[in-house]
């Protein structure tokens, strides 16, 4: 196991991480990929430690993989159920966080609809905090699992051409990947309808395309995103059929990319809208289920690394 230090108490975003920090987590995660492929998946390094999953927004992949990750490392994992909680009696985020922290968890995994909420929690509590997605802010473990998926499928990240297409404006996945992939040496561009793109100034020089066909030329990685209807203030101006015709990933469109380009999607996906269902299921091109698998390994690495100091190691 690598013994390099990770100089952070929390994992709140890619923004605060150096390329070495990111590579450190990815290198640590490699061991858990192999471990998770064994029939018996029980490590004791987090035995006696408590992990609280505090999700204010829905989740399948992130919540369940954090639960699997903590349990496979031996932690006691408890899910805070917002639906039946005193949040619905008006208790604030910080009062909720302080209340949970008084029960002395060692790590809190927080997803919240407000950008910056996990950072506010981290400033108030004693335990380590992991951002599991905040509003239109960041989703750092998604970017880490995406990087691990690319590294394992393609063999490297440096020098790759990556196109991210879809609702970039509302996507915390895009935001975290736009921080991590260039930091790891990839050449990233974004594509989508102008109404779903952020201002070019906010992208810090990342090339922006409204023509997906142009953006996909020669790409090694094509990352598709869903339209985040829950964050759209008014509806989309084009029909879903028109959206698919202009921005949906099909085999024909993928033929413009590099011959062995891989297809990614953080999920949940809308088949027939941003991605053709058959292409999503073609494991020779689609890395979508690899992303899910890498999610458990990356989250195990994050839980292990962030609890090392309190475990005295
Ligand atoms: N990629 C992702 O965050 O999926 P979930 O919303 O299902 O966790």
């Amino acid at each position: 196991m690598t013994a390099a230090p990770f100089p952070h108490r929390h994992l709140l975003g890619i923004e605060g991480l150096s390329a070495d920090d990111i590579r450190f987590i990815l290198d640590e995660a490699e061991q858990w990929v192999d471990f998770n492929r064994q029939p018996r998946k029980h490590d004791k390094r987090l035995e006696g430690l408590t992990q609280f999953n505090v999700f204010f927004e829905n989740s399948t992949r992130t919540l369940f993989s954090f639960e699997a990750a903590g349990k496979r490392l031996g932690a006691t994992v408890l899910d805070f159920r917002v639906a039946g909680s005193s949040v619905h009696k008006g208790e604030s985020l910080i009062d909720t966080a302080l209340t949970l922290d008084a029960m002395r968890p060692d790590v809190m995994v927080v997803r919240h609809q407000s950008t910056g909420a996990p950072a506010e929690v981290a400033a108030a509590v004693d335990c380590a905090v992991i951002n599991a997605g905040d509003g239109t802010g960041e989703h750092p473990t998604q970017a880490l699992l995406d990087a691990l998926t690319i590294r394992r499928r393609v063999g490297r990240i440096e020098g790759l051409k990556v196109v991210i297409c879809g609702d970039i404006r509302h996507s915390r996945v895009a935001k975290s990947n736009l921080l991590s992939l260039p930091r790891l040496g990839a050449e990233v561009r974004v594509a989508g309808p102008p109404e779903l793109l952020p201002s070019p100034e906010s992208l810090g020089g990342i090339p922006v395309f409204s023509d997906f066909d142009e953006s996909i030329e020669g790409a090694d990685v094509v990352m598709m995103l869903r339209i985040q209807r829950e964050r759209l203030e008014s509806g989309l101006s084009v029909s879903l059929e028109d959206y698919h015709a202009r921005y949906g990933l099909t085999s024909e469109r993928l033929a413009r990319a590099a011959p062995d380009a891989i297809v990614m999607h953080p999920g949940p996906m809308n088949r027939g809208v941003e991605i053709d269902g058959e292409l999503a299921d073609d494991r020779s091109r689609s890395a979508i289920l690899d992303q899910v698998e890498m999610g458990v390994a990356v989250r195990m690495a994050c839980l292990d690394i962030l609890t090392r100091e309190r475990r005295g190691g």
Side-chain angles (χ1 to χ4, degrees), residues 206-246:
I206 298 273
V208 182
F209 293 78
S210 56
D211 183 341
F212 186 26
D213 288 330
E214 195 187 332
S215 75
I216 203 173
E217 293 287 346
D220 301 291
V221 177
V222 184
M223 191 181 288
M224 302 306 295
L225 301 174
R226 75 183 172 93
I227 302 163
Q228 303 216 4
R229 289 166 205 243
E230 69 275 28
R231 299 189 215 283
L232 277 176
E233 279 157 25
S234 52
L236 199 61
S237 69
V238 294
S239 69
L240 293 182
E241 289 74 25
D242 286 347
Y243 184 88
H244 182 68
R246 291 192 63 194

Side-chain angles (χ1 to χ4, degrees), residues 58-63 111 139 142 173 266-268:
N58 293 342
S59 170
T60 295
R61 283 147 284 267
T62 313
L63 176 60
R111 171 171 283 195
H139 194 348
Q142 178 71 44
V173 174

Side-chain angles (χ1 to χ4, degrees), residues 249-267:
L249 186 63
T250 59
S251 297
E252 297 71 46
R253 209 160 242 150
L254 186 62
R256 292 171 173 267
D260 50 359
I262 61 165
V263 174
M264 299 177 73
H265 193 307

